[in-house]
Amino acid sequence: KQEVTQIPAALSVPEGENLVLNCSFTDSAIYNLQWFRQDPGKGLTSLLLIQSSQREQTSGRLNASLDKSSGRSTLYIAASQPGDSATYLCAVSTGGYNKLIFGAGTRLAVHP
Amino acid sequence: EPEVTQTPSHQVTQMGQEVILRCVPISNHLYFYWYRQILGQKVEFLVSFYNNEISEKSEIFDDQFSVERPDGSNFTLKIRSTKLEDSAMYFCASSSGGRATGELFFGEGSRLTVL
């Protein structure tokens, strides 16, 4: 059974720092991996999608990497800002019709 | 920018009552989903829907749950007889991509509180 783990569970940093959020999954037979942002009480905003054949994806200050064989992905946030404060969720697609298995998230606080 | 919209944003109901949550997926998307998040827990898959039928469902999605695409634009989740443990945030999502490869776009969620 696929399990997704995110480390750390929470992170508090000063503005301007570069950050790395970690995601690991137990079954490497995934089709894709998606990173989301969730603000308190809100929906999920898609940040990056990495297909299983890809090694990384970039969008602005965000870069996500995927090492499928070792069951790991990292989300790199450059030059963090207070507006980046949110919970970041990692989810893997286990095939079928894109059923996503989610991690518990990393709660990020960026203080001025 | 196209988005998934959900109504109501919050619904309070009594145990045993029927609830319908509504979603309008992104217009050219073909794959539709319901997920839920119990407070403090992980987001979990409920059901996927493609070509007017359920394509996959989780163990949570028992006979009390049903989904429908009644008019080609709306996508609904019905809970026939709500239980206290159905209290959660319910998220609708849609995707244009093919099986297992598409990016999912989520709505803002409908918070269901069962008393």
Side-chain angles (χ1 to χ4, degrees), chain B residues 24-99:
Chain B
V24 179
I26 294 173
S27 62
N28 63 342
H29 284 187
L30 301 175
Y31 301 82
F32 314 111
Y33 311 84
W34 285 100
Y35 286 77
R36 79 173 186 188
Q37 185 176 32
I38 295 170
L39 189 64
Q41 297 187 22
K42 293 182 179 182
V43 177
E44 49 189 355
F45 169 80
L46 291 178
V47 65
S48 59
F49 191 87
Y50 171 70
N51 201 25
N52 280 321
E53 60 183 21
I54 290 174
S55 46
E56 191 172 2
K57 61 183 180 180
S58 73
E59 293 174 354
I60 304 166
F61 195 89
D62 62 21
D63 291 345
Q64 292 300 311
F65 290 88
S66 63
V67 290
E68 193 177 35
R69 189 157 160 80
D71 57 12
S73 61
N74 291 284
F75 180 51
T76 62
L77 174 68
K78 181 193 291 186
I79 309 174
R80 288 189 232 294
S81 178
T82 51
K83 304 176 188 133
L84 295 176
E85 55 265 36
D86 293 329
S87 295
M89 182 76 96
Y90 288 81
F91 293 109
C92 174
S94 69
S95 170
S96 63
R99 288 178 62 177

Side-chain angles (χ1 to χ4, degrees), chain A residues 35-107:
Chain A
W35 282 94
F36 295 90
R37 168 185 172 137
Q38 185 176 30
D39 291 285
K42 298 292 187 180
L44 281 66
T45 301
S46 177
L47 298 174
L48 290 164
L49 170 73
I50 311 177
Q51 300 291 354
S52 62
S53 58
Q54 297 175 319
R55 295 302 298 261
E56 67 178 305
Q57 281 285 350
T58 298
S59 176
R61 293 182 295 108
L62 304 179
N63 175 276
S65 67
L66 174 64
D67 184 344
K68 195 176 136 179
S69 61
S70 69
R72 293 182 183 180
S73 175
T74 59
L75 178 67
Y76 177 81
I77 303 176
S80 58
Q81 303 170 357
D84 295 330
S85 298
T87 296
Y88 290 81
L89 301 174
C90 163
V92 298
S93 170
T94 60
Y97 285 85
N98 223 355
K99 170 183 172 182
L100 293 182
I101 306 296
F102 281 83
T106 293
R107 192 170 64 254

Side-chain angles (χ1 to χ4, degrees), chain A residues 22-40:
Chain A
N22 297 291
C23 172
S24 62
F25 45 96
T26 54
D27 186 346
S28 62
I30 66 168
Y31 285 82
N32 64 50
L33 184 145
Q34 204 166 344
W35 282 94
F36 295 90
R37 168 185 172 137
Q38 185 176 30
D39 291 285

